[in-house]
């Protein structure tokens, strides 16, 4: 079972990411997220950058009648990725005690 707080954070983050793609805020967000996901590993950071670019491309190239579906699909993908990152074994749980 997913912690409701984790689900809310992951959902909000995914929505913000998809909303920001293609805006003036995208470049900065893309760089910051790739760095966060990469956790200091240049290879992981590059992979994250590629995934972010794939999201931006999918949204930019979607036909108008498909845009809502593509947005929802990309939000689901990133929600799952954020949930994984927020788990104790993910980057936020490393070396930190869990607060209750």
């Amino acid at each position: 079972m997913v912690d409701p707080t984790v689900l809310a954070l992951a959902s909000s983050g995914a929505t913000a990411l998809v909303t920001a793609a293609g805006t003036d805020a995208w470049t900065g967000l893309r760089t910051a997220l790739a760095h966060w996901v990469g956790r200091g590993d240049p290879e992981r950071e590059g992979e994250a950058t590629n995934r972010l670019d794939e999201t931006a491309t999918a949204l930019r190239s979607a036909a108008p009648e498909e845009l809502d579906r593509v947005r929802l699909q990309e939000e689901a993908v990133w929600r799952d990725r954020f949930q994984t990152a927020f788990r104790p074994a993910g980057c936020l749980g490393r070396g930190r005690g869990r607060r209750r």
Side-chain angles (χ1 to χ4, degrees):
M1 175 142 200
V2 176
D3 180 317
T5 303
V6 171
L7 181 58
L9 286 169
S11 294
S12 295
T15 299
L17 184 150
V18 169
T19 301
T23 69
D24 291 341
W26 179 246
T27 301
L29 179 63
R30 174 185 168 268
T31 300
L33 277 173
H35 181 71
W36 177 70
V37 171
R39 302 178 200 148
D41 179 339
E43 185 175 330
R44 287 179 67 150
E45 190 169 327
E47 291 168 0
T49 299
N50 289 339
R51 288 193 302 266
L52 289 160
D53 289 344
E54 288 170 4
T55 292
T57 298
L59 291 165
R60 192 173 40 251
S61 62
E65 63 275 5
E66 292 291 315
L67 187 56
D68 287 339
R69 183 191 58 77
V70 172
R71 281 184 190 274
L72 290 173
Q73 180 180 351
E74 292 299 322
E75 283 180 17
V77 166
W78 283 100
R79 182 182 57 243
D80 291 347
R81 288 178 179 156
F82 287 148
Q83 282 179 315
T84 299
F86 292 152
R87 288 190 183 123
C91 70
L92 292 183
R94 287 188 179 177
R96 298 182 188 190
R98 291 185 68 177
R99 287 179 33 171
R100 297 178 202 263

